[in-house]
Amino acid sequence: MTFVVNGKNHAAEPRPGQCLRTFLRELGCFGVKKGCDAGDCGACTVMVDGEPVHSCLFPAYRARGRAVTTIEGLARNGELHPMQQAFLQAQGFQCGFCTPGMIITAASLNQSQRQDLPWALKGNICRCTGYSAIENAIRGVSAIEKAEAADACGRSMPAPAARAVISGAAHYTMDVAPAGLLHLKLLRSPLAHARIKSIRTDEALALPGVRAVLTWQDAPRKFYSSARHERESGDPDDTMVLDRIARFSGQRIAAVVAESEAAAEAGCRKLVVDYERLPAVFDPEQAMQSGAPAIHGDKGPESRIRDARRNIAGEVHGDVGNVAEGFAQADVVYEGTYVTQRVQHAHLETHCAIGWLDETGRLNMRSSSQTPFLTRRALANLFDLDPARVRVFCERVGGGFGAKQEMLVEDIVALAVLKTGRPVKLEFTREEQFIGSTTRHPMRVHIKVGARRDGRLTAMQMRVVSNTGAYGNHGPAVLFHSCGECFGVYRCDNKKIDGFAVYTNTIPAGAFRGYGLPQTNFAVESAMDELARKLGMDPIAFRERNVVRPGDPMISVGSDEGHDVKYGSYGLDQCLALVKDAIDRGGGLSPPPSDDWLVGQGVALGMIDTVPPFGHIADVSAVLRDDGTYQVAVGTAEFGNGTSTVHYQIAATVLATTTDNIRILTSDTDNGGHDTGAYGSTGTVVAGRATQLACEALRAEILSFAAEHGGGGAAAWSLAAGAVVRGGRRVGLSELAAAARAKGRSLAASGRWNGTPRSVAFNVQAFRLAVNKRTGAIKILRSVHAADAGRVINPMQCRGQVEGGVAQSLGAALYEEMIIDDTGRVTNANFRNYHLPQFGDVPRTEVLFADTSDAFGPFGAKSMSESPYNPINAAIGNALADATGIRFCQTPFKPDRIFAAIAEKFGTAE
Ligand code: FES
Ligand code: FES
């Protein structure tokens, strides 16, 4: 058959049933992405005869003789398509995984379709941006700025990979085709709790193309945690590469490695597993009761499980003052129980890795990871390898949101590589993301708060039960964090917290944007709103009266263990004022013109430590190259959070040049020093600070050598674009590098930042919304978010982080929910039945920044990746309470829940 792809003829024969997506990728069109393989996300969109289609649903043979255009073919004669140019100007992406499909769809829209973008973009999901930057691109709004030498910080500079992203040239983990690649597929447990009695592998091994079957007997008998942290002692060692006991429905049981995906899948179907069913428990409160099945009852203290008999992975307890006395002093008391659901990260690039042994026998792992260095450490430990014999690296990562702060694929790929000696690939399906990766921790939070008539808090008490699922990866740490800043942000003499991270026979929870705070923040900020209501106070005035101020202690659990959190800057007062002003100013949508709609507004705040506790390290090296440009090696991963852009800006500012004279190497354990990884919103404040220090040290080295080479003291010389200068004398940097080389020297330096002391960042969100009394539907009329990010190094990117965080959190507030049946199975394991926010679901958010400068962050910056997510659920709940007079204590606020409560109150059930 003949196919015309991007203007070129290809003679090829699709396999029976092959979709156009895989066919095009086999032709090398890697810009055709896979987000779902089910027609739900649009990442695979291509044009067939000028019409956009989801190529994962389009049979390849139907494209025969028709003109197929992928993102790689959109540019003509070296000229970008106007829509690519528009996405470049607006920087309409973050991770960029959705971008090729989004651009193809947008490029095919006519004028009238562009007037109705919610409809026109229904088939394309973006998980990162919140769609504002995408709308800007389609409407032709430019967001980027240029910078002169040493002027990059504070400007909306474009991402260094922007051109590659919008042209489809950016390569993600799966966008390579190594020779001799084997494919790995996993057989997963159908049972929530079972012991494997036997696995018959002979029929699978007899299938053509199957090269190996791996079972628990092939895997190291070592327990570890899939969570990745610099300090590992907080995570229970309760997981094995392949275990003999299945503790949740969806757990890996065996792996089949074959010459093709189809053969590996067929091999999985031929495995015969004999299970002994074990009693299961799904509710964390029941799991703590005596008599409940002990899910990790086989483990001793070396596993660091707090109380395996009671299924407690970790617990926190702390108090200050005397809460009983505090409540006795209160004039008003509020008490309630708040329930948050299990949600999925839904990054569009699923978990994936390709591993191989190089010519020296060294294990290489090309991975979609937020933590290449920590993953290398874990692989070396697991397989008894010298860390120098393991390389882990990322090229470009298609989103993570915490999910890739786990080792969920690299371990089994490494096992397969070491067993077969061949390159091996594993790419999770979208279903596997839902049933076999990790989720946010569902929590049940009981809160009680009291205040005096004058509005002063007298007591705060909280009990948190967090469902960590079958494994304790991140469970204790998430619990610890969930009990932290949401309480610490309020001045109150009497506080008490008890928290439990509890095992159940459900899919494991893990790191998720906000790291536990969104769940507890929902309870705390709702409770504060209730107190304000009882006191007849404005909710913002109530918060202004009670929030901590610089100089106040920030009292929360663990605040005395190596306490290094300080007020490096403080902008919460500004954030509250900015939001109040914006709401008072009005604006936004009008409520629908009908008495059926109730209108209300709500506000919530959040505080977050800018770095996780207990160590976060970045070692950065910088060198002046022979051509007079700079190379900076940073270990942290870029997964759409924009940290590489910030690192360029920092380096260019310190080295008095423009970003095009900087080359940054990232995310590769072969590139120099250690980096803990891209989590905890540390890309700017830790890796960025280390970048600043490395570049400052390099500047000093260059100036010192300039003095040695050209005379005068180092202080007499200064760096300029492309040269060092002293008065009227100018020496080009390439000349200086050559002079250094002639003396056997290289002009290089390094910088390290270990993440301490840590500062605090703040976010305040307000919503105005309308609720329909008859349907429970919610329309958001106005969304305002104020953030204290210190000095904002890249306003466009920082705004994008806020917009994306608000959109993702709105999904959790309004629709997203993983449904688990009474056998422990996830029943909505696809995007179609798990509602991700689409373009039309997300309101435009007005983003405002406090004017502060932090003492610890680079150039005064603070982190702003996770924290915008945290106050959203509570702000929506508070607006709902304002509109209806009903306090909704369970997310998501789905119309059926809202409707039922409103119908009862207003009698609108008809
Ligand atoms: S991969 Fe085709 S629509 Fe998602
Ligand atoms: S930029 Fe759209 S999914 Fe990441």
Side-chain angles (χ1 to χ4, degrees):
M1 294 183 201
T2 306
F3 296 84
V4 185
V5 179
N6 298 328
K8 285 198 191 124
N9 286 334
H10 293 268
E13 202 67 33
R15 291 186 294 279
Q18 186 174 21
C19 70
L20 185 57
R21 184 187 73 75
T22 55
F23 181 73
L24 289 169
R25 285 181 65 83
E26 285 169 15
L27 291 179
C29 299
F30 291 124
V32 185
K33 303 295 187 211
K34 178 180 98 171
C36 66
D37 253 358
D40 296 327
C41 76
C44 63
T45 307
V46 300
M47 284 185 204
V48 176
D49 289 341
E51 286 295 319
V53 301
H54 287 170
S55 61
C56 67
L57 295 184
F58 198 92
Y61 81 89
R62 278 185 53 203
R64 180 177 50 172
R66 300 168 75 180
V68 178
T69 308
T70 72
I71 191 71
E72 290 93 344
L74 209 54
R76 288 287 146 86
N77 306 320
E79 289 277 306
L80 290 178
H81 184 281
M83 193 52 73
Q84 289 174 305
Q85 191 63 46
F87 270 71
L88 198 58
Q89 288 298 122
Q91 296 283 287
F93 60 87
Q94 286 179 21
C95 80
F97 202 79
C98 70
T99 308
M102 194 70 80
I103 290 177
I104 289 279
T105 300
S108 69
L109 301 179
N110 60 33
Q111 276 309 327
S112 101
Q113 287 169 320
R114 285 187 198 187
Q115 299 315 308
D116 189 3
L117 290 180
W119 177 257
L121 294 182
K122 244 181 169 339
N124 291 77
I125 288 171
C126 175
R127 186 53 153 171
C128 301
T129 61
Y131 300 100
S132 282
I134 290 170
E135 181 173 15
N136 286 347
I138 296 172
R139 305 226 181 276
V141 177
S142 177
I144 56 175
E145 291 180 273
K146 283 208 164 68
E148 303 298 325
D151 186 33
C153 279
R155 305 219 168 255
S156 293
M157 305 289 293
R163 207 177 170 90
V165 167
I166 56 94
S167 63
H171 279 183
Y172 294 78
T173 316
M174 289 291 108
D175 296 344
V176 286
L181 186 65
L182 292 175
H183 302 258
L184 188 154
K185 285 283 173 185
L186 293 161
L187 179 76
R188 295 181 177 278
S189 172
L191 302 174
H193 202 188
R195 179 178 291 105
I196 298 167
K197 289 161 74 177
S198 65
I199 304 179
R200 253 189 54 208
T201 61
D202 50 339
E203 286 185 39
L205 283 166
L207 285 179
V210 170
R211 294 289 168 258
V213 174
L214 306 171
T215 71
W216 64 271
Q217 285 158 310
D218 301 291
R221 308 316 299 153
K222 282 186 186 174
F223 287 107
Y224 64 97
S225 170
S226 64
R228 301 287 85 228
H229 281 118
E230 185 64 49
R231 188 175 88 166
E232 294 176 347
S233 56
D235 302 311
D237 282 339
D238 56 11
T239 303
M240 279 190 172
V241 178
L242 290 166
D243 203 334
R244 201 175 176 181
I245 297 185
R247 296 180 177 85
F248 70 99
S249 169
Q251 180 176 317
R252 322 158 169 174
I253 297 298
V256 177
V257 190
E259 299 288 346
S260 68
E261 274 190 37
E265 279 167 2
C268 286
R269 286 194 292 274
K270 289 290 183 191
L271 294 172
V272 182
V273 186
D274 187 10
Y275 294 102
E276 175 194 347
R277 205 182 271 265
L278 300 172
V281 59
F282 305 116
D283 178 80
E285 293 283 5
Q286 286 173 10
M288 284 192 284
Q289 302 304 314
S290 65
I295 296 169
H296 289 279
D298 54 333
K299 300 193 176 68
E302 70 290 348
S303 64
R304 298 190 301 270
I305 294 170
R306 179 59 65 99
D307 185 347
R309 277 182 312 106
R310 293 175 58 218
N311 291 313
I312 296 175
E315 57 188 315
V316 296
H317 303 282
D319 60 353
V320 59
N322 183 320
V323 283
E325 282 176 13
F327 285 119
Q329 293 161 13
D331 296 306
V332 289
V333 171
Y334 169 77
E335 195 167 359
T337 301
Y338 289 78
V339 178
T340 47
Q341 77 282 26
R342 190 185 295 273
V343 297
Q344 233 289 324
H345 308 77
H347 37 81
L348 282 199
E349 182 199 38
T350 59
H351 282 87
C352 51
I354 299 174
W356 69 94
L357 300 174
D358 65 20
E359 55 288 351
T360 70
R362 197 164 73 123
L363 177 65
N364 284 254
M365 193 64 63
R366 177 185 171 92
S367 170
S368 178
S369 171
Q370 293 175 228
T371 58
F373 287 81
L374 301 188
T375 300
R376 174 177 68 167
R377 184 164 80 190
L379 290 175
N381 286 341
L382 204 44
F383 296 102
D384 294 322
L385 299 170
D386 177 350
R389 304 287 297 154
V390 182
R391 175 193 178 202
V392 179
F393 70 102
C394 317
E395 195 163 340
R396 192 168 174 88
V397 176
F401 312 115
K404 294 173 180 173
Q405 193 193 340
E406 307 270 354
M407 185 172 67
L408 297 182
V409 289
E410 297 88 346
D411 55 339
I412 188 81
V413 169
L415 179 65
V417 169
L418 295 171
K419 289 276 176 193
T420 64
R422 299 259 308 264
V424 176
K425 160 197 149 183
L426 170 59
E427 181 183 19
F428 274 9
T429 63
R430 182 54 57 186
E431 185 191 21
E432 284 181 298
Q433 284 300 140
F434 278 100
I435 66 168
S437 65
T438 59
T439 71
R440 190 176 78 167
H441 287 77
M443 289 191 193
R444 192 177 187 86
V445 180
H446 186 80
I447 187 154
K448 185 176 176 186
V449 286
R452 286 204 194 89
R453 197 157 289 115
D454 65 1
R456 300 264 177 225
L457 285 168
T458 59
M460 299 172 70
Q461 185 170 6
M462 183 163 76
R463 179 179 186 269
V464 181
V465 176
S466 171
N467 183 350
T468 195
Y471 292 95
N473 45 307
H474 293 281
V478 164
L479 176 71
F480 179 85
H481 194 232
S482 72
C483 296
E485 296 95 306
C486 61
F487 251 41
V489 72
Y490 286 103
R491 274 177 177 166
C492 181
D493 292 335
N494 307 296
K495 296 181 180 178
K496 182 166 175 15
I497 293 180
D498 296 287
F500 305 88
V502 185
Y503 289 114
T504 59
N505 292 110
T506 57
I507 178 171
F512 191 107
R513 195 174 199 165
Y515 214 64
L517 274 181
Q519 297 94 311
T520 46
N521 201 278
F522 173 41
V524 174
E525 289 300 302
S526 301
M528 293 303 158
D529 218 60
E530 283 295 320
L531 280 185
R533 264 164 216 290
K534 282 173 183 269
L535 291 164
M537 283 182 74
D538 172 76
I540 290 183
F542 178 80
R543 286 173 172 82
E544 284 171 337
R545 179 157 301 180
N546 286 293
V547 291
V548 288
R549 305 271 166 178
D552 287 349
M554 286 176 275
I555 299 166
S556 58
V557 167
S559 52
D560 48 357
E561 191 195 340
H563 190 59
D564 63 343
V565 181
K566 306 198 179 324
Y567 296 96
S569 56
Y570 180 88
L572 179 53
D573 50 351
Q574 289 184 49
C575 289
L576 286 164
L578 285 167
V579 161
K580 184 171 183 338
D581 284 356
I583 289 288
D584 289 350
R585 223 186 306 130
L589 303 175
S590 301
S594 152
D595 289 346
D596 286 345
W597 292 88
L598 304 166
V599 176
Q601 68 188 35
V603 68
L605 61 79
M607 177 172 84
I608 194 164
D609 299 344
T610 55
V611 183
F614 314 127
H616 202 107
I617 297 163
D619 286 322
V620 171
S621 58
V623 62
L624 175 66
R625 296 174 0 138
D626 289 352
D627 62 0
T629 61
Y630 300 98
Q631 180 169 291
V632 183
V634 190
T636 192
E638 165 69 62
F639 61 103
N641 44 359
T643 49
S644 303
T645 320
V646 165
H647 298 159
Y648 271 89
Q649 292 178 260
I650 290 170
T653 303
V654 175
L655 296 168
T657 188
T658 48
T659 51
D660 51 356
N661 286 312
I662 310 274
R663 179 170 175 233
I664 294 206
L665 309 176
T666 60
S667 343
D668 188 334
T669 57
D670 270 4
N671 286 340
H674 178 79
D675 191 286
T676 298
Y679 65 85
S681 305
T682 50
T684 295
V685 292
V686 179
R689 185 88 169 93
T691 300
Q692 182 187 8
L693 294 171
C695 292
E696 285 172 352
L698 177 62
R699 183 178 61 194
E701 174 77 3
I702 290 172
L703 297 181
S704 152
F705 185 74
E708 194 182 317
H709 176 68
W717 290 88
S718 61
L719 258 181
V724 282
V725 292
R726 174 174 163 236
R729 174 124 191 253
R730 185 180 171 87
V731 180
L733 289 176
S734 52
E735 183 188 332
L736 199 70
R741 189 162 19 89
K743 290 191 174 180
R745 284 174 59 180
S746 103
L747 297 178
S750 58
R752 161 176 272 231
W753 189 247
N754 62 4
T756 183
R758 302 178 288 146
S759 188
V760 277
F762 301 97
N763 297 78
V764 178
Q765 171 72 40
F767 286 110
R768 189 158 175 271
L769 54 72
V771 195
N772 191 298
K773 282 195 283 190
R774 295 183 185 280
T775 64
I778 295 173
K779 273 190 198 307
I780 294 175
L781 307 174
R782 179 107 158 94
S783 169
V784 179
H785 192 106
D788 173 20
R791 183 178 173 210
V792 180
I793 290 190
N794 188 316
M796 169 192 65
Q797 274 196 183
C798 199
R799 203 177 305 119
Q801 287 297 311
V802 174
E803 289 164 348
V806 171
Q808 191 176 24
S809 196
L810 270 175
L814 299 177
Y815 341 97
E816 293 180 38
E817 181 168 29
M818 291 176 66
I819 310 289
I820 299 205
D821 70 12
D822 56 10
T823 69
R825 238 171 27 95
V826 179
T827 62
N828 57 341
N830 53 57
F831 282 161
R832 191 153 311 169
N833 295 312
Y834 178 87
H835 184 159
L836 287 179
Q838 297 181 326
F839 185 100
D841 295 322
V842 180
R844 299 301 88 128
T845 292
E846 182 179 352
V847 180
L848 305 160
F849 291 115
D851 183 10
T852 62
S853 181
D854 198 69
F856 312 124
F859 291 98
K862 295 196 275 195
S863 54
M864 196 48 59
S865 293
E866 300 183 72
S867 57
Y869 187 102
N870 298 348
I872 305 306
N873 287 7
I876 290 273
N878 292 342
L880 274 174
D882 189 45
T884 63
I886 302 167
R887 175 59 59 182
F888 293 91
C889 297
Q890 184 173 1
T891 55
F893 304 122
K894 283 185 173 170
D896 53 345
R897 284 189 187 134
I898 307 275
F899 165 76
I902 291 180
E904 195 182 328
K905 175 164 177 165
F906 295 97
T908 51
E910 76 278 13

